[in-house]
Amino acid sequence: MQVEFQFNDERAICDIAGHETLLAVLRDKLGAMEVKYGCGEGACGSCVVLVDGNPLASCITLCASVDGTDIMSVKAPDPPGAWALLKDRFAAHEGAQCGFCTPGLLASCFALVQRGEKLTRQEIREALSGHLCRCTGYHHIVDAVEEAMAIWPTMS
Amino acid sequence: MHCEVFGLYPYPFDYFRPNTLEEALVLAQGDGMKFLAGGQSLVPLLNLHVAEIKGVVDLQHVASALKFVQSQQDRLRLGALWTHDELSHSSLLGGRCPLFSQAAAFIGHPRIRRRGTLGGSIAHADPLAEWILVMTLLDPQLILASAKEERQLPFHDYLLGPMMTALSDDELITAVEISLPEKATYGFTEVSRRPGDYALVATALSVGWDRDRIAQADIAISGVSDVPRTFPSISRDMCQEYPSHGLVEHIKHAVEAAVDPPSDVLAGASYRRHLAGILVEKALHQAFDEMSNAGETAAKSIGKSEGERT
Amino acid sequence: MANDVLTPQLSVIGKGVIREDVRKKVAGEVLYSADWVMPGMLYGKLVRALYSHAKIKKLSSQDARHVPGVVRIIEAKDVPVNQFYDDPSGLGEKVAQHKVFQDDEVRYAGEPICLVIAKTPEAAEKGARAIGVEYEPLPSIHNPLDALKDDAILVHPGGNTVVQWNVHKGNTQVAIQDPNLVHISRTYRTQFVDHLYLEPESGVGWVDNDGIVTLRCATQVVEHYRNIARMLNISENRVRIICPYVGGGFGGKEDMTVEPYLAIAAWITKKPVKMVWSRQESLQARPKRHPFVMTYDLWAKPCGDVVAMKVDVTGDAGAYALLSPRVLFAAAVVATGPYHIDHVDVTSRAVYTHNVPTSAFRGFGAMQMAFGYEQIMEEMAQKLGIDSVGFRRRHFIKKGDTLATGEIQDTAVWLNETLDKVLNELGEAPVTDDGSKRIGIGIACTMQPYGRTVWFQDHASCWLNLESDGSVILRTGVPDIGGGQAASLCQIAAEILHVPLEAVRAYYGDSALTPLAGGTFATRQLYMSGNAVVKAAQELQEKIDHVLKTAWGDEGWQWDEEGMAYSPSGLRISRSAVYEAANALHYPLSVHTTFHAQSGEGYDNKEGRAVKTFPDFTFGCHGALVEVDVQTGTVKVLRYVASHDVGVAINPLSVEGQIHGGVVQGLGYALSEEVLYQDGQCVTALFSQYMAPTAEQMPDITAIILESHEGKGPFHARGIGEPAIAPVAPAIANAVANALGPSCRVRSLPITAEKIWGELSGLDGSKI
Ligand SMILES: Cc1cc2nc3c(=O)[nH]c(=O)nc-3n(C[C@H](O)[C@H](O)[C@H](O)COP(=O)(O)OP(=O)(O)OC[C@H]3O[C@@H](n4cnc5c(N)ncnc54)[C@H](O)[C@@H]3O)c2cc1C
């Protein structure tokens, strides 16, 4: 079957079978290696992308079901916007160490920041509870997100 | 034989996305077909190769038709495709049953709540799932539809065991119909190994009121038997009583005495029994507090409207 | 030694510079091991044993061969040398380790039996499922204490004890005769835990143009190419391991994971082969952290002077030795903790069982011990009725002291300093008016070695060049597992060569093209490769100075911020001009050098003494404030403070990151994480069943970095990768015990709500 969706601002037309997950198609057909396999259970958050602006675990999303949507990963073109802001703050605070969980995590952060959310540190922690990071202990991640949330209104 | 070959991706199957409910039901008659709602339970199983199927019937185009609330005096009909997140906004239910938002908050993390559905959870029938506990408590009529017929099944006849139900392969849960006491408050408490995980033990209860007296009560607990259970005779003890510390103690001890929990690697029987007691106590306090708060707000709003009139 | 370069004004060292690899990672631009794709690539899937102990009667691959897409089944008989050997204790005893494929006696559930190669991952999985293995199940043994009994089932013919280490100091036997001594004896237990790095074990293997077996895979040790060569029975110069950025290691990628399978598959099929272990396979069958049973006996005078300590440690090695001998050695060395005690007897042993093998994990044996010694000290103080902080201070080792092993501690010991900071920051425990809650405060002071034991003759090499445009290339075999290993080496080179950080580029982690630096484990990379880079950079700088002097005549050159050399007479020379001048002088600006760690004799296990065990230790103190719900037993960490003396913080931001990460991994270890097995079968094989901490229940962490300027690493830095995890579990245990009140203490990990409730209800929570 054929599916069509926007991926990072480009039209993607893929020939797929019903069982293929969005993760498999993004990686194996579209070469989007920034989307990671981490658990296959929708639990770790490494495979998260934005589907119509909402963070979804691509490993438990069938590709056929995202036909006609607009999908974004951390590599989405971003005329200095929320992605760039987040990347910059994550780098400045060392919100990544091994970096494996980072693209998925940033997708969820993007959704929060772009919605203009201003959350407390604990609320940020709760909002990110679907992402496991094993290196940073989360503290630097919360620093980065908190700062991005503070800066975003001045940019947008 | 060898160890389970856990996969990364599912084995091949077909995908269908019907535009109408009728189409969906016809498709579901095919051999090895499964409905796909939020996919938050089904697709992990397919990835791990724990389940193997011939095809999925994606409900996304019929979802909006199955997202409704129909409220009659003593009844509430809820479409099965509401997501956990949507149900957590109690305004949706017109304040009729805040238990839904209380329970939804305990399910997984934000991403799962935005995607997973009431019907999916009921169909999946994980005995520790929050909705299974809530359904055990409320014992609704499930509205089941297949291409051949539509039928209603009370929840207590539906749930046969852990992940076992009376649902036929081609049947869709379209709605749940709950009868609600005119005036009721609720409690929902849970202890899990980590926030957002399936419960070790959870309690849901409802208290129906006749002014400030308890008219009727129901208690359900998960994690103390293979599927959640209720406590009809203990609940009856509460009828016609006024909320009191003594009553809470009585119910707590009665529950502790009544449960016969299993011991497994996650928790022992004594701890589960203890939790059952504590969680019932806490849930009763929630329900009682809500009642007294409601009383206060009611009093306030009366005062206010009177004030406006003058 | 190479660390006499404590220059007063440092320009890059000590700055929280932004790591370039982090910039690439947040942009999603890093290709990890599973992200590599090659034309015609095949996929591999392992078939693993179902039983924890069984004879394999028959392996039938007929059905699997007929699964569409299956290309080849690889079994034991296809492997030139199907058995790995090594000398894990480093004392010259060769141990038979695991086989590549088990073809006879299965010793743990999950042991690899054969490998299915197919054109797609799904076909490989289907093929694996179609393999038939006929077993004769055998009785198995899962409790290491049972495995020590005389009539125990043998896991290997030579007996169930893998290794036993002894440490003796003074004369315990005589010292404890004094009838006035207060004696307590306690047993502490720890659990199986998983590394749970986010990147599963993965890689691609192929045979390159020159017939070299090449593996690009997630590993902490590129030197495994030697094991692969032995397995294939080919010369070591025909295997190459390339290690891209690793998505987390923590010791779990120190032993080989996918390497032998990628190699044998590529070797046999002559095609590129990819393998990614599923998360569940990883949780089920990859080595874990050793569960320990530690019995501590402590004798003290009523006035509060500790007289003697006896420690008995049993570590569950699982079915194969792997690195157990080293893990239990580290345990023995630090068994007494950072305390000066005159009479000490330590015995630590690793024991074979039919459990999943255990091996390296951040903290490496030393961190389990902290759960013992930091509780026994607390319990003794309580018994004596004295303040446990003062009791600790009184016994802290000091620079110049003789440790239990007989070696001299020859660098600064800033235990008091870190403890002061932590107590100060932690403040008093607040009171709560919620009757169902109790607040507790707890601390732990620990020591953790960095670097390998001295008889391993550890060394690390690197190669540093000045390029014609003035940029610098650093080549080093370091695997970068996420801690900024390559980035901090660039900082060191930039500092010494007076160049901007951006001017240095590191090529890393390739066993064929980058000088071997040893693995990224044992908190050794900053110490080893850091010193190697210091040495190389100093030599290169001398060469540059020589060229400047020879070509331009002036003496006393200095460097400005743009990296230009200027002389007292007013000359200003760029590095590219220096390069040209050097070329004309036939004087290459290139240095290849090797740093050799302090080395020493092997351990005298009979006497239980050494002149030196590890090069040095990192000391620190952590403190926690917890709230215990006495109704449910659940624990909330309200505040957490961690302080370490890191000698010098090369990049304070990264040091802080290491501390935060160690603390949270330690909090998981303390409170929730456990891989559960029932009769050797993993019952928590799902990611969602393994209770690693998420952001939600973790507190903010106050990291306080102290700098004594006395480490043995570059610029006098000390290692911090592992030390940050050790104090967490005992700090939490002490805080929980403090909250629960006298005579309540959970002595087994994880400290679950259920165990706490058990203690509160008068049951023995540790046994739950
Ligand atoms: C990491 C993680 C953590 C989770 N934690 C929790 C938790 O703490 N508590 C909890 O309760 N759940 C938890 N879940 C499960 C989650 O709530 C699921 O959303 C829910 O169990 C299933 O809903 P779904 O809509 O996603 O169903 P799907 O996955 O789409 O379907 C599940 C099953 O139900 C069938 N089905 C779906 N809809 C219908 C219908 N209307 N009629 C008939 N059959 C139907 C499907 O065919 C399938 O067999 C978790 C899931 C994940 C991935």
Side-chain angles (χ1 to χ4, degrees):
Chain A
M1 113 191 46
Q2 212 178 53
V3 288
E4 228 182 292
F5 52 83
Q6 287 288 111
F7 180 57
N8 288 343
D9 274 3
E10 278 182 33
R11 189 122 220 90
I13 303 175
C14 300
D15 243 328
I16 62 155
H19 69 286
E20 291 183 60
T21 60
L22 179 57
L23 172 67
V25 172
L26 289 177
R27 285 179 63 84
D28 303 341
K29 297 214 157 81
L30 300 177
M33 294 306 191
E34 69 275 21
V35 191
K36 306 294 188 201
Y37 165 84
C39 75
E41 301 169 24
C44 79
S46 299
C47 68
V48 169
V49 292
L50 295 169
V51 177
D52 290 334
N54 285 319
L56 273 196
S58 62
C59 79
I60 55 168
T61 302
L62 293 182
C63 184
S65 72
V66 300
D67 198 12
T69 60
D70 188 348
I71 301 180
M72 263 200 288
S73 78
V74 73
K75 282 190 161 173
D78 177 45
W83 285 119
L85 171 64
L86 277 163
K87 288 175 195 174
D88 189 58
R89 290 301 87 197
F90 264 70
H93 286 281
E94 210 167 280
Q97 287 183 27
C98 86
F100 200 84
C101 72
T102 313
L105 188 77
L106 281 183
S108 285
C109 294
F110 178 89
L112 293 174
V113 169
Q114 225 200 15
R115 273 206 302 270
E117 303 252 16
K118 260 198 120 165
L119 306 179
T120 63
R121 288 180 74 86
Q122 186 55 34
E123 286 166 343
I124 294 172
R125 288 175 175 280
E126 282 161 25
L128 299 180
S129 62
H131 292 269
L132 217 109
C133 167
R134 199 60 163 162
C135 298
T136 64
Y138 304 109
H139 189 119
H140 281 163
I141 290 175
V142 179
D143 288 347
V145 177
E146 197 181 26
E147 211 167 276
M149 282 179 175
I151 297 173
W152 177 244
T154 67
M155 285 174 66
S156 53
Chain B
M1 269 215 301
H2 47 75
C3 260
E4 211 85 65
V5 180
F6 290 121
L8 304 179
Y9 299 151
Y11 288 141
F13 55 77
D14 292 327
Y15 173 88
F16 303 93
R17 190 174 48 227
N19 285 316
T20 64
L21 190 55
E22 291 67 37
E23 257 182 83
L25 295 177
V26 169
L27 280 165
Q29 289 182 296
D31 198 28
M33 299 298 274
K34 276 270 175 196
F35 292 112
L36 176 73
Q40 305 294 292
S41 291
L42 180 61
V43 187
L45 294 180
L46 295 170
N47 276 335
L48 301 180
H49 302 170
V50 176
E52 250 184 278
I53 58 168
K54 292 259 166 56
V56 296
V57 180
D58 187 343
L59 298 173
Q60 64 171 277
H61 284 183
V62 299
S64 54
L66 296 176
K67 284 190 189 189
F68 54 81
V69 186
Q70 291 161 358
S71 181
Q72 291 151 2
Q73 292 111 19
D74 61 340
R75 254 181 252 163
L76 196 64
R77 213 179 236 237
L78 276 182
L81 267 282
W82 286 114
T83 63
H84 310 325
D85 201 38
E86 286 160 343
L87 290 172
S88 75
H89 304 299
S90 68
S91 55
L92 171 81
L93 305 178
R96 284 294 299 282
C97 190
L99 178 62
F100 279 86
S101 62
Q102 282 168 280
F106 285 92
I107 303 176
H109 45 71
R111 206 171 56 232
I112 288 159
R113 292 199 288 272
R114 261 198 310 275
R115 191 81 172 170
T117 64
L118 176 65
S121 186
I122 297 175
H124 187 59
D126 188 307
L128 294 169
E130 283 74 9
W131 292 142
I132 294 298
L133 177 61
V134 168
M135 294 302 123
T136 304
L137 178 80
L138 302 175
D139 196 18
Q141 291 288 332
L142 301 187
I143 317 297
L144 309 178
S146 70
K148 287 168 257 146
E149 59 167 357
E150 183 176 297
R151 62 170 177 150
Q152 296 204 0
L153 193 63
F155 186 77
H156 67 260
D157 287 336
Y158 164 85
L159 186 67
L160 304 178
M163 307 188 121
M164 282 187 306
T165 70
L167 195 69
S168 317
D169 285 347
D170 61 346
E171 260 180 330
L172 181 74
I173 306 170
T174 58
V176 299
E177 187 179 289
I178 309 158
S179 24
L180 292 174
E182 200 182 336
K183 193 172 179 203
T185 61
Y186 300 89
F188 192 98
T189 51
E190 167 171 331
V191 167
S192 56
R193 294 199 292 159
R194 188 177 57 179
D197 279 295
Y198 285 99
L200 276 180
V201 177
T203 304
L205 53 83
S206 66
V207 180
W209 300 93
D210 175 9
R211 294 165 187 264
D212 49 358
R213 198 180 226 195
I214 298 166
Q216 180 218 332
D218 284 301
I219 301 172
I221 303 184
S222 65
V224 292
S225 37
D226 61 347
V227 292
R229 57 165 290 192
T230 54
F231 298 82
S233 71
I234 297 175
S235 309
R236 266 196 303 277
D237 286 356
M238 291 170 69
C239 293
Q240 308 310 320
E241 298 285 336
Y242 290 98
S244 71
H245 181 70
L247 180 64
V248 173
E249 283 295 298
H250 167 74
I251 300 299
K252 176 183 173 188
H253 291 133
V255 163
E256 280 172 356
V259 295
D260 181 17
S263 274
D264 58 29
V265 290
L266 302 184
S270 332
Y271 183 56
R272 287 181 191 271
R273 172 177 295 113
H274 167 76
L275 284 182
I278 284 290
L279 291 175
V280 159
E281 179 186 339
K282 289 183 186 233
L284 280 173
H285 283 304
Q286 284 178 2
F288 293 171
D289 289 353
E290 201 188 312
M291 178 59 189
S292 49
N293 291 345
E296 275 164 35
T297 0
K300 262 186 221 148
S301 66
I302 291 166
K304 202 174 169 195
S305 50
E306 277 172 357
E308 275 164 7
R309 232 179 283 144
T310 51
Chain C
M1 218 188 300
N3 48 13
D4 318 311
V5 277
L6 189 63
T7 32
Q9 331 90 312
L10 300 173
S11 51
V12 198
I13 298 293
K15 302 277 179 338
V17 295
I18 296 180
R19 275 163 50 183
E20 204 192 309
D21 64 303
V22 170
R23 281 218 185 274
K24 296 273 176 226
K25 286 167 178 172
V26 297
E29 286 166 5
V30 166
L31 289 181
Y32 295 81
S33 292
D35 303 337
W36 203 245
V37 177
M38 293 180 79
M41 194 163 73
L42 302 174
Y43 299 84
K45 186 82 188 174
L46 280 171
V47 173
R48 295 174 178 275
L50 176 71
Y51 293 97
S52 55
H53 190 205
K55 271 262 180 237
I56 298 179
K57 309 291 287 179
K58 198 174 155 209
L59 179 70
S60 37
S61 49
Q62 212 49 33
D63 293 351
R65 266 179 240 283
H66 292 121
V67 170
V70 168
V71 171
R72 172 85 206 222
I73 317 287
I74 301 176
E75 311 170 23
K77 64 174 164 36
D78 301 315
V79 187
V81 181
N82 190 36
Q83 172 92 55
F84 294 109
Y85 296 91
D86 66 10
D87 170 16
S89 67
L91 297 177
E93 291 162 51
K94 209 170 184 193
V95 173
Q97 296 275 17
H98 54 101
K99 292 180 175 182
V100 181
F101 298 111
Q102 184 53 263
D103 54 351
D104 176 23
E105 185 180 335
V106 166
R107 294 194 178 83
Y108 70 98
E111 186 165 4
I113 291 179
C114 68
L115 175 64
V116 178
I117 305 296
K119 288 183 179 153
T120 64
E122 297 89 62
E125 283 164 17
K126 282 223 147 141
R129 189 166 270 202
I131 295 279
V133 187
E134 229 176 85
Y135 299 97
E136 177 193 327
L138 298 169
S140 56
I141 189 151
H142 299 286
N143 181 336
L145 299 178
D146 290 344
L148 286 171
K149 292 181 183 154
D150 286 343
D151 57 348
I153 301 162
L154 291 184
V155 180
H156 295 278
N160 286 342
T161 304
V162 183
V163 69
Q164 175 164 316
W165 298 102
N166 307 298
V167 175
H168 294 301
K169 183 184 177 192
N171 190 334
T172 309
Q173 225 33 49
V174 173
I176 61 174
Q177 297 302 325
D178 179 353
N180 294 319
L181 296 182
V182 178
H183 168 224
I184 58 171
S185 179
R186 298 285 185 272
T187 297
Y188 306 98
R189 291 186 168 80
T190 69
Q191 77 280 39
F192 283 105
V193 287
D194 192 86
H195 309 73
L196 209 85
Y197 31 68
L198 269 296
E199 178 200 36
E201 302 71 17
S202 47
V204 179
W206 66 94
V207 179
D208 81 358
N209 289 348
D210 297 309
I212 309 298
V213 177
T214 307
L215 312 178
R216 186 186 188 276
C217 60
T219 181
Q220 294 177 238
V221 185
V222 294
E223 287 80 356
H224 282 317
Y225 74 88
R226 294 186 173 128
N227 288 320
I228 298 299
R230 268 171 240 148
M231 170 187 89
L232 295 175
N233 200 17
I234 59 178
S235 117
E236 287 182 15
N237 63 14
R238 294 191 57 201
V239 182
R240 172 181 180 191
I241 294 184
I242 303 168
C243 171
Y245 285 121
V246 178
F250 313 116
K253 292 166 184 166
E254 182 170 338
D255 296 288
M256 292 187 287
T257 61
V258 293
E259 293 93 324
Y261 307 106
L262 292 175
I264 190 70
W267 178 249
I268 286 178
T269 63
K270 303 284 177 256
K271 294 233 166 97
V273 178
K274 180 186 272 197
M275 177 148 76
V276 178
W277 285 3
S278 77
R279 172 62 63 182
Q280 297 72 28
E281 170 175 25
S282 169
L283 274 164
Q284 203 169 43
R286 192 187 30 74
K288 307 282 176 267
R289 188 194 290 285
H290 290 73
F292 276 10
V293 179
M294 302 170 269
T295 299
Y296 272 84
D297 281 273
L298 188 61
W299 290 264
K301 293 183 188 160
C303 66
D305 284 339
V306 168
V307 172
M309 183 186 262
K310 264 193 185 179
V311 191
D312 184 274
V313 187
T314 300
D316 184 347
Y320 294 97
L322 301 180
L323 299 168
S324 290
R326 291 185 216 168
V327 171
L328 271 295
F329 181 72
V333 169
V334 305
T336 55
Y339 301 107
H340 184 96
I341 301 171
D342 287 330
H343 305 283
V344 177
D345 271 334
V346 180
T347 310
S348 80
R349 64 189 76 75
V351 181
Y352 287 123
T353 61
H354 292 110
N355 293 332
V356 68
T358 49
S359 195
F361 194 152
R362 188 183 206 171
F364 208 77
M367 69 91 80
Q368 284 98 320
M369 300 313 291
F371 187 66
Y373 62 73
E374 275 305 89
Q375 289 199 83
I376 195 81
M377 288 297 280
E378 193 77 29
E379 295 203 57
M380 179 56 101
Q382 215 172 59
K383 175 106 182 173
L384 295 171
I386 58 176
D387 165 43
S388 67
V389 171
F391 182 58
R392 284 188 177 82
R393 290 194 195 271
R394 194 156 164 175
H395 296 95
F396 276 156
I397 52 172
K398 295 183 289 294
K399 183 173 175 177
D401 274 358
T402 305
L403 306 182
T405 49
E407 68 198 288
I408 310 284
Q409 174 57 33
D410 55 6
T411 59
V413 180
W414 276 21
L415 288 162
N416 277 307
E417 290 81 348
T418 52
L419 176 57
D420 289 342
K421 290 281 180 201
V422 167
L423 291 175
N424 198 31
E425 187 67 30
L426 213 49
E428 293 286 310
V431 276
T432 162
D433 46 12
D434 182 345
S436 67
K437 303 277 166 36
R438 286 196 210 151
I439 307 269
I441 200 160
I443 56 159
C445 304
T446 61
M447 63 193 288
Q448 174 84 36
Y450 61 91
R452 304 184 72 181
T453 38
V454 295
W455 57 87
F456 275 97
Q457 316 292 342
D458 200 9
H459 55 275
S461 303
C462 72
W463 176 15
L464 202 59
N465 281 18
L466 185 71
E467 289 301 310
S468 68
D469 62 353
S471 66
V472 175
I473 293 182
L474 166 64
R475 291 178 180 87
T476 156
V478 169
D480 191 315
I481 62 171
Q485 282 82 9
S488 47
L489 297 180
C490 292
Q491 258 182 290
I492 293 167
E495 183 69 52
I496 295 174
L497 293 171
H498 312 284
V499 300
L501 189 54
E502 311 75 64
V504 185
R505 159 61 34 203
Y507 290 81
Y508 62 95
D510 183 332
S511 73
L513 301 182
T514 55
L516 295 181
T520 301
F521 55 75
T523 312
R524 65 178 285 287
Q525 263 331 345
L526 180 68
Y527 166 52
M528 296 301 301
S529 291
N531 276 327
V533 171
V534 166
K535 199 169 162 209
Q538 284 174 333
E539 281 177 36
L540 183 58
Q541 187 58 40
E542 278 165 26
K543 285 182 186 246
I544 291 170
D545 289 342
H546 174 79
V547 171
L548 282 167
K549 203 174 114 190
T550 316
W552 285 278
D554 265 8
E555 302 252 6
W557 291 85
Q558 300 217 5
W559 298 83
D560 66 16
E561 277 180 9
E562 286 156 50
M564 301 277 283
Y566 60 94
S567 71
S569 66
L571 288 170
R572 202 157 174 272
I573 307 294
S574 70
R575 277 172 287 141
S576 49
V578 173
Y579 178 90
E580 260 174 53
N583 229 3
L585 291 167
H586 294 196
Y587 190 74
L589 292 176
S590 169
V591 173
H592 179 288
T593 194
T594 300
F595 171 75
H596 291 273
Q598 188 173 0
S599 61
E601 287 165 30
Y603 189 72
D604 183 343
N605 199 22
K606 211 156 141 231
E607 292 298 314
R609 312 195 61 66
V611 177
K612 196 87 195 139
T613 57
F614 293 95
D616 195 12
F617 299 89
T618 297
F619 299 90
C621 174
H622 289 196
L625 190 69
V626 303
E627 180 188 87
V628 178
D629 181 326
V630 293
Q631 293 183 318
T632 59
T634 45
V635 175
K636 191 169 161 197
V637 182
L638 300 175
R639 203 178 301 156
Y640 201 95
V641 186
S643 179
H644 290 272
D645 163 29
V646 300
V648 158
I650 302 289
N651 180 344
L653 196 59
S654 299
V655 172
E656 210 175 74
Q658 286 298 314
I659 295 178
H660 292 161
V663 168
V664 166
Q665 210 167 39
L667 287 172
Y669 184 61
L671 292 168
S672 59
E673 289 180 36
E674 182 164 21
V675 188
L676 290 162
Y677 294 89
Q678 263 179 338
D679 303 323
Q681 300 288 343
C682 183
V683 293
T684 51
L686 299 187
F687 190 92
S688 45
Q689 289 169 329
Y690 186 74
M691 299 289 115
T694 65
E696 187 176 358
Q697 78 269 31
M698 287 296 109
D700 275 341
I701 295 148
T702 310
I704 304 171
I705 301 168
L706 299 185
E707 301 186 302
S708 65
H709 295 277
E710 285 206 24
K712 294 188 177 174
F715 299 88
H716 302 286
R718 312 181 104 115
I720 186 62
E722 292 179 277
I725 197 175
V728 188
I732 293 293
N734 287 335
V736 169
N738 181 244
L740 299 186
S743 77
C744 285
R745 177 177 286 274
V746 178
R747 297 188 184 84
S748 80
L749 290 177
I751 304 169
T752 58
E754 181 179 19
K755 290 178 189 170
I756 291 173
W757 165 77
E759 280 294 320
L760 285 167
S761 350
L763 310 169
D764 183 350
S766 305
K767 298 239 170 70
I768 285 175

